[in-house]
């Protein structure tokens, strides 16, 4: 955690509540409870007492002087003696484990539940190897270079009940899954296979649907098999059947999802509580395939689930027996994946990382930059950007306050040239996919609130008095609305409706690529302008050209994961405005979220 932790009023109220509950409260307990609350608000699953020990805490009440946390051993002893703090498995408000991690009971239960469910799904499943080999040769023809990691991923998915397929942009995760679906449908024969596809946001769900549809069309499947391929993708909340206003779902342990296979895309965006609820709603024999980029930003809420499942990027070797099975079907695997005598976890045979990018070649500046970012090489990233060697990369020192507005307005007019000239909703939505402004922050200088105002002014967007929208308003929905079928992350543009003659918000329709649905702006759920997005909000999206505007100083938000996520939103070109010191420091800073999930899964 940071050297100085600033408490919120909510942290104070929670700590006061715990102190009132305890039979012998003490200052150490109050501090631990307040910081455990603060930790969950900052994306941690728990409070690491060792990390937070001997640190400064700034209360939210202005008259209260800063507090100091005690040494770790003293702190643990004092907290462990309190009646509101229990051991793992105790039904107490706070839970303290053997590694000095202090949880809110709900967070501990989510972590335990998710880990138990994942580990229970790591068993092998029987497969017709003759049929599988024929299918692998058909959908993943043997290549001269070895190994074909997409073929390996398919082999793992067919022979294991649980599979994680991780990979950067352009590594073919969804194309691989389309082939896996075809293989599984072939294996199911006359019995059939009930398949559910899901993603965290409406935008990510729409992209997954279109990707699988395109990949399916390229496979040349027989008509009977093509008809059985799934063509519906739901948000996770809609799949689970979220009950409005109650924070609960129709599908749970008592009423599991009616599917034999669940595929979830963009898992890096899924927080721990939602993952626990999703796993709880799966029957024990349901197959599960998770897709995502382990190097992307973690969820906004608590946890870094995909990174924990992938052992934080450390490639796990297959067990000796499973490696032999994979090599019989896929050819030799590289030496660095040689098995150890005793695999570290049952997950070892369930995790595959796709390594070949078919979007970014060896000479791609975006590809080179993304690899340097993941390696934490801030100085090398800066050198590459400033060198001008790569046509798909551009760097500009952040203009001063006086010159920023003019420079940014010019960049927006160039980037949104096709958007500002659009006369149809389809043309406007397509133009929005070609260019987007990203920023790490929502508020403050160079945050998206200011950038959206500047962008709209640069394009000449003018609102009628009293209206929050106008013609060519780009917007993104920020909450799920099940009645309207709109979900957090759905993007629309406001234009004239030829049927009514009034302004309407036009959204891409999930039913068919290229089709639209319209809605009166008066009926819209909460939304925000979307010419400029936070990097978090851009997850699950891709654009031809990205302009990333960094602030002039470091903040807790900036990290290598954030820079990597922003850069890899671009398909063709990335332009970064910022200071050399901020970019270098951000790339060299890795987000560490306190959690015990990795230890539960990997030991």
């Amino acid at each position: 955690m940071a050297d100085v932790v600033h408490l919120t009023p909510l942290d104070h109220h929670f700590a006061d509540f715990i102190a009132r509950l305890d039979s012998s409260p003490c200052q150490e307990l109050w501090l631990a409870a307040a910081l455990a609350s603060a930790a969950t608000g900052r994306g941690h699953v728990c409070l690491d007492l060792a990390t937070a020990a001997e640190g400064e805490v700034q209360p939210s009440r202005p008259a209260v002087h800063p507090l100091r946390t005690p040494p770790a051993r003293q702190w643990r002893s004092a907290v462990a003696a309190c009646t509101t703090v229990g051991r793992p498995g105790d039904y107490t408000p706070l839970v303290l484990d053997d590694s000095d991690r202090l949880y809110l009971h709900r967070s501990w239960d989510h972590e335990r539940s998710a880990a138990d469910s994942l580990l229970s799904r790591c068993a092998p499943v029987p497969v017709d190897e003759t049929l599988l080999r024929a299918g692998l040769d058909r959908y993943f023809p043997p290549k001269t270079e070895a190994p074909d990691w997409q073929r390996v991923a398919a082999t793992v998915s067919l022979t294991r009940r649980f599979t994680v397929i991780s990979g950067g942009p352009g590594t073919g995760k969804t194309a691989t899954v389309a082939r896996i679906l075809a293989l599984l449908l072939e294996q199911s024969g006359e019995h059939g296979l009930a398949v559910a596809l899901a993603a965290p946001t409406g935008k990510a769900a729409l992209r997954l649907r279109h990707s699988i549809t395109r990949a399916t069309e390229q496979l040349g499947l027989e008509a009977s098999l093509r008809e059985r391929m799934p063509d519906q993708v739901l948000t996770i909340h809609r799949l689970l059947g979220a009950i409005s206003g109650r924070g609960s779902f129709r599908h749970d342990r008592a009423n599991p999802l009616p599917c034999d296979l669940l595929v979830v895309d963009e898992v890096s965006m899924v927080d721990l509580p939602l993952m626990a609820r999703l796993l709880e709603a799966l029957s024990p024999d349901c197959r599960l395939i998770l897709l995502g980029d382990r190097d992307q930003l973690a969820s906004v809420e608590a946890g870094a689930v995909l990174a924990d499942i992938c052992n934080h990027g450390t490639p796990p070797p297959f067990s000796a027996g499973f490696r032999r099975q994979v090599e019989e079907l896929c050819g030799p695997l590289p030496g660095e994946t040689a098995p150890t005598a005793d695999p570290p976890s049952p997950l070892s045979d369930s995790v595959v990382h796709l390594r070949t990018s078919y979007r970014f070649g060896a000479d791609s500046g975006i590809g080179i930059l993304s690899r340097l970012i993941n390696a934490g090489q801030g100085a090398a990233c800066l050198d590459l950007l400033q060198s001008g060697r790569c046509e798909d990369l551009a760097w500009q020192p952040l203009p001063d306050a006086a010159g920023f507005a003019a420079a940014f307005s010019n960049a927006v007019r160039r980037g949104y040239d096709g958007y500002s000239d659009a006369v149809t909703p389809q043309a406007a939505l397509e133009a929005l996919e070609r260019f987007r402004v990203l920023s790490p922050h929502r508020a403050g200088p160079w945050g998206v609130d200011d950038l959206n105002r500047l962008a709209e002014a640069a394009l000449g967007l003018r609102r009628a008095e009293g209206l929050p929208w106008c013609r060519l308003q780009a917007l993104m929905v920020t909450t799920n609305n099940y009645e309207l079928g709109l979900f957090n992350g759905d993007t629309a543009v406001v234009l004239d409706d030829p049927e009514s003659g009034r302004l309407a918000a036009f959204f891409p329709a999930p039913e068919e690529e290229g089709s639209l649905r319209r809605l009166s702006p008066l009926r819209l759920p909460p939304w925000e302008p979307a010419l400029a997005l936070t990097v978090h909000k851009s997850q699950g999206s891709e654009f031809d050209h990205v302009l990333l505007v960094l602030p002039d100083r470091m903040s807790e938000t900036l990290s290598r994961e954030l820079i990597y996520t922003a850069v890899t939103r671009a398909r063709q070109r990335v332009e970064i405005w910022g200071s050399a010191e901020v970019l270098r420091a951000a790339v060299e800073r890795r987000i560490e979220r306190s959690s015990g999930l990795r230890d539960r899964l990997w030991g």
Side-chain angles (χ1 to χ4, degrees):
M1 298 180 71
D3 292 335
V4 180
V5 179
H6 294 266
L7 300 180
T8 67
L10 177 63
D11 303 330
H12 275 264
H13 288 308
F14 179 75
D16 291 344
F17 171 70
I18 292 296
R20 288 196 301 270
L21 281 182
D22 204 273
S23 60
S24 53
C26 56
Q27 178 72 356
E28 291 88 349
L29 174 65
W30 191 94
L31 278 168
L35 289 173
S37 172
T40 59
R42 298 168 62 201
H44 300 281
V45 178
C46 55
L47 172 69
D48 187 328
L49 293 182
T51 303
E54 300 184 77
E56 187 173 314
V57 179
Q58 179 61 57
S60 65
R61 296 159 186 165
V64 180
H65 294 293
L67 306 173
R68 193 86 184 165
T69 55
R73 183 174 298 180
Q74 172 191 333
W75 202 3
R76 174 186 169 82
S77 298
V79 168
C82 296
T83 57
T84 52
V85 180
R87 304 287 299 142
D90 292 343
Y91 193 68
T92 51
L94 298 171
V95 176
L96 182 65
D97 72 6
D98 292 334
S99 298
D100 290 352
R101 289 184 285 244
L102 184 70
Y103 296 82
L104 308 186
H105 187 276
R106 178 181 56 193
S107 299
W108 175 85
D109 192 53
H110 286 152
E111 186 178 277
R112 174 204 57 78
S113 174
D116 289 352
S117 179
L118 291 173
L119 290 172
S120 71
R121 296 177 186 279
C122 291
V125 291
V127 64
D128 182 333
E129 285 209 6
T130 302
L131 185 61
L132 174 58
R133 186 185 298 276
L136 289 172
D137 289 343
R138 185 165 56 254
Y139 300 129
F140 304 93
K143 298 181 178 179
T144 54
E145 69 275 11
D148 179 350
W149 287 106
Q150 291 186 346
R151 181 169 173 139
V152 172
T155 301
V156 173
S157 299
L158 268 287
T159 57
R160 316 296 296 183
R161 197 173 302 282
F162 170 53
T163 310
V164 181
I165 303 175
S166 172
T171 52
K173 295 185 291 293
T174 52
T176 301
V177 163
R179 290 161 171 79
I180 291 170
L181 292 174
L183 290 169
L184 286 169
L185 288 170
E186 290 175 357
Q187 291 277 331
S188 68
E190 296 179 356
H191 300 289
L193 190 72
V195 181
L197 306 176
T201 66
K203 178 75 171 181
L206 191 62
R207 282 191 59 233
L208 176 61
R209 182 181 185 276
H210 292 167
S211 295
I212 288 183
T213 299
R214 285 194 295 269
T216 300
E217 291 171 351
Q218 296 168 0
L219 291 179
L221 302 177
E222 295 180 0
S224 60
L225 186 58
R226 187 170 61 249
E227 290 172 359
R228 295 162 61 196
M229 289 287 285
D231 62 356
Q232 184 182 45
V233 184
L234 303 177
T235 64
I236 296 175
H237 284 81
R238 189 175 180 186
L239 175 74
L240 291 174
I243 301 173
S244 181
R246 290 177 52 182
S248 58
F249 299 101
R250 288 193 297 275
H251 291 289
D252 54 18
R253 186 176 289 107
N255 180 31
L257 289 164
C259 59
D260 304 311
L261 166 67
L262 172 63
V263 179
V264 186
D265 195 15
E266 296 289 356
V267 176
S268 63
M269 300 168 64
V270 181
D271 57 63
L272 178 63
L274 184 57
M275 178 59 74
R277 301 293 291 276
L278 180 63
L279 293 170
E280 183 184 74
L282 294 182
S283 61
D285 57 350
C286 180
R287 289 178 181 263
L288 175 64
I289 300 176
L290 302 181
L291 309 175
D293 186 345
R294 68 191 185 191
D295 297 312
Q296 272 191 196
L297 275 169
S299 59
V300 176
E301 304 299 329
V305 175
L306 183 60
D308 286 338
I309 294 174
C310 291
N311 199 21
H312 291 198
T314 302
F318 293 143
S319 64
F322 186 60
R323 180 188 173 97
R324 285 193 296 271
Q325 182 182 10
V326 172
E327 289 188 324
E328 287 175 2
L329 293 165
C330 302
L333 297 179
E336 66 266 22
T337 63
T340 57
D342 186 19
S345 165
L347 257 66
S348 294
D349 294 340
S350 293
V351 179
V352 182
H353 183 63
L354 303 183
R355 308 167 191 210
T356 302
S357 176
Y358 300 95
R359 180 184 305 163
F360 305 127
D363 58 348
S364 162
I366 295 175
I368 297 169
L369 181 62
S370 63
R371 290 191 289 273
L372 291 173
I373 294 168
N374 281 336
Q377 298 182 28
C381 289
L382 190 62
D383 177 67
L384 177 65
L385 286 165
Q386 292 177 332
S387 69
R389 295 195 302 267
C390 302
E391 293 183 356
D392 55 347
L393 298 177
W395 166 263
Q396 177 174 310
L398 189 67
D400 59 27
F404 179 84
F408 180 74
S409 296
N410 288 333
V412 164
R413 282 191 285 268
R414 287 195 304 271
Y416 282 123
D417 179 47
Y419 177 75
S420 58
D421 294 336
V423 294
T424 67
Q426 188 64 50
L429 288 167
E430 290 174 357
L432 276 179
E433 299 298 302
R434 291 196 287 270
F435 176 76
R436 200 61 65 94
V437 177
L438 304 182
S439 169
H441 298 141
R442 175 172 304 283
W446 305 288
V448 297
D449 291 344
D450 281 351
L451 295 180
N452 270 305
R453 283 193 289 271
L454 287 171
E456 290 176 2
L459 298 181
L461 275 61
R462 293 180 177 83
R463 294 175 176 80
E465 186 175 352
L467 291 181
W469 61 81
C470 61
R471 189 179 183 279
L472 279 179
Q473 174 76 61
L475 61 89
M476 177 177 282
V477 173
T478 57
T479 60
N480 296 331
N481 187 301
Y482 301 97
E483 290 75 17
L484 294 174
L486 294 176
F487 302 93
N488 182 19
D490 286 354
T491 302
V493 61
V494 176
L495 273 175
D496 301 305
D497 183 356
E499 294 185 3
S500 67
R502 300 176 180 175
L503 290 178
F506 291 86
F507 292 85
E511 296 80 15
E512 182 179 352
E513 189 168 6
S515 62
L516 301 175
R517 57 175 301 200
R518 67 191 59 140
L519 196 69
S520 166
L522 293 170
R523 299 185 62 202
L524 287 173
W527 58 272
E528 59 190 29
L531 291 175
L533 301 175
T534 63
V535 177
H536 268 104
K537 286 288 187 181
S538 74
Q539 286 184 271
S541 300
E542 292 176 352
F543 313 101
D544 291 345
H545 178 186
V546 163
L547 170 58
L548 173 63
V549 181
L550 298 175
D552 65 344
R553 65 196 66 188
M554 274 296 289
S555 71
E556 189 176 329
T557 303
L558 290 167
S559 67
R560 99 177 43 158
E561 292 87 352
L562 181 138
I563 304 297
Y564 170 81
T565 301
V567 166
T568 55
R569 295 313 88 206
R571 289 184 286 250
Q572 299 175 8
R573 179 176 169 82
V574 172
E575 185 174 353
I576 301 178
W577 292 12
S579 79
E581 294 75 15
V582 168
L583 176 70
R584 187 166 49 241
V587 170
E588 293 172 356
R589 175 179 178 266
R590 187 163 203 162
I591 290 178
E592 297 290 346
R593 286 193 166 179
S594 297
S595 163
L597 182 60
R598 178 184 176 276
D599 286 355
R600 286 179 181 271
L601 296 175
W602 293 97

